[in-house]
Amino acid sequence: GSLHGDWTEYDEFGRITIKGQYRNGLREGTWAFRKLGIVGKYREGLKHGKWKYYDQGRLVRIEKFRNGELMPGTTYRIQ
């Protein structure tokens, strides 16, 4: 059987480090990689849509993906 449904990973202190969903074994929808400070979307296992990167809780970069490919000219650094 393949992974399907909610997915949550925890660190050794019980804090959530990764949260998302699988559909038919592939990442789907919004995923949060909390330890890395990244929130992004997947569609059928591929990065798709806006990906936001944080440093100490502050948004520092946004990128946009389509079907797993970074779209040219869509990387924005936040001052």
Side-chain angles (χ1 to χ4, degrees):
S2 60
L3 295 171
H4 192 84
D6 293 337
W7 181 265
T8 306
E9 291 184 22
Y10 300 89
D11 67 12
E12 62 272 17
F13 303 107
R15 295 178 300 222
I16 295 172
T17 57
I18 299 175
K19 191 164 181 64
Q21 284 191 328
Y22 281 97
R23 184 178 296 154
N24 300 318
L26 300 173
R27 288 179 175 175
E28 186 71 26
T30 301
W31 277 70
F33 302 91
R34 294 180 178 181
K35 208 172 210 177
L36 300 174
I38 301 171
V39 177
K41 295 186 181 210
Y42 283 92
R43 185 162 68 182
E44 297 178 356
L46 299 173
K47 290 180 176 183
H48 191 87
K50 281 186 182 175
W51 279 66
K52 297 179 179 180
Y53 300 83
Y54 297 85
D55 183 17
Q56 298 179 355
R58 189 174 70 81
L59 182 63
V60 293
R61 189 170 87 232
I62 298 172
E63 296 177 336
K64 193 167 185 184
F65 288 83
R66 182 177 289 147
N67 297 321
E69 299 287 328
L70 178 62
M71 295 176 63
T74 64
T75 297
Y76 304 98
R77 298 199 183 279
I78 314 300
Q79 300 299 338

